[in-house]
Amino acid sequence: MKVHVRKIVNGLSLIVFIMAFYFVFTGHSIFIFFGYLAFSAVLFLPRIIYRRLGLHENFSNELLDWIELSFSGIVLLSVAGYLWLFDLLYNFDAYVHFFTPLFIFIIVAIVFKAGTVHWKIDTTKSDNVLASLVITMSLILLWEISEYFITIYLGKNMFFTIGQPNDTLYDVVVGFMSLPVGAVLIYKYNDVLFSKIKK
């Protein structure tokens, strides 16, 4: 990509980092502060994984560009929600819980496929889709269980769900609804994607 994705991600991370201190100094929960610090740090996760797995040896940096852009989209959805969209946009939480698993599904599929190519493991498109489904479903369930316990048992209104007893169920259902979309996209464009980004 002609756009310097690394610089964009670095800038976004710095902005989110500064926002963490803004929230803590304006009297918000310490959980919000640590949440924003986590958002700031995880933006670098794709490039760390990309290097640790040695994917740069088999694939161009364009693969990393797409992974970082998708991952940044996930983080920005949540950040925008905390800033204003949870209050201003009707049912914004549903958008977050649909598009976030969709982005995660695509990222998991790309990393899984790249890993199998790197380690010379013979897999099919169906294997890629199935592995991505299992991993993404597991991540959805783990996140929603942790969100439930933080909201109900710790009494922290981090996720704008106080007074919504069925929120966990709704979020899981909406997240699962995105999985068929991701499966179709990966199955249909699997070969096209990797033929363009392989070195």
Side-chain angles (χ1 to χ4, degrees):
M1 286 188 178
K2 293 181 180 179
V3 179
H4 296 288
V5 175
R6 303 298 93 68
K7 292 181 179 179
I8 293 175
V9 174
N10 293 345
L12 289 174
S13 178
L14 178 60
I15 291 170
V16 175
F17 181 80
I18 293 171
M19 287 168 53
F21 287 93
Y22 165 79
F23 277 107
V24 78
F25 286 130
T26 52
H28 286 75
S29 168
I30 193 68
F31 281 87
I32 299 293
F33 170 71
F34 284 117
Y36 268 76
L37 288 183
F39 283 144
S40 175
V42 298
L43 283 170
F44 298 108
L45 193 59
R47 71 181 71 172
I48 293 172
I49 294 175
Y50 194 79
R51 291 288 176 180
R52 290 291 183 181
L53 291 179
L55 301 183
H56 60 288
E57 297 173 4
N58 298 95
F59 296 93
S60 67
N61 282 332
E62 190 175 357
L63 172 64
L64 179 57
D65 289 342
W66 285 110
I67 293 175
E68 286 203 294
L69 288 174
S70 299
F71 194 77
S72 297
I74 295 172
V75 174
L76 290 177
L77 273 175
S78 297
V79 170
Y82 283 120
L83 285 176
W84 71 85
L85 290 180
F86 277 120
D87 294 323
L88 295 181
L89 186 61
Y90 174 73
N91 210 15
F92 179 75
D93 190 54
Y95 296 101
V96 172
H97 285 90
F98 181 86
F99 287 105
T100 297
L102 180 59
F103 283 135
I104 290 175
F105 187 99
I106 294 171
I107 291 172
V108 169
I110 291 174
V111 173
F112 179 83
K113 176 65 176 179
T116 58
V117 171
H118 175 68
W119 286 304
K120 298 179 174 61
I121 300 173
D122 208 12
T123 58
T124 65
K125 290 190 292 185
S126 298
D127 294 330
N128 193 11
V129 170
L130 181 59
S132 302
L133 278 172
V134 172
I135 294 171
T136 307
M137 288 174 66
S138 300
L139 291 175
I140 291 172
L141 292 173
L142 285 172
W143 172 255
E144 291 304 327
I145 290 171
S146 65
E147 178 181 318
Y148 177 84
F149 277 99
I150 291 173
T151 304
I152 301 300
Y153 291 102
L154 297 182
K156 300 298 181 182
N157 189 13
M158 292 177 62
F159 308 103
F160 301 86
T161 55
I162 295 296
Q164 300 179 39
N166 294 321
D167 179 75
T168 298
L169 177 60
Y170 294 150
D171 291 347
V172 170
V173 170
V174 172
F176 281 6
M177 286 173 61
S178 71
L179 300 183
V181 178
V184 170
L185 289 173
I186 292 301
Y187 190 86
K188 184 174 182 180
Y189 296 106
N190 184 81
D191 295 335
V192 175
L193 175 64
F194 284 92
S195 66
K196 288 184 177 180
I197 58 183
K198 190 171 182 179
K199 284 185 178 178

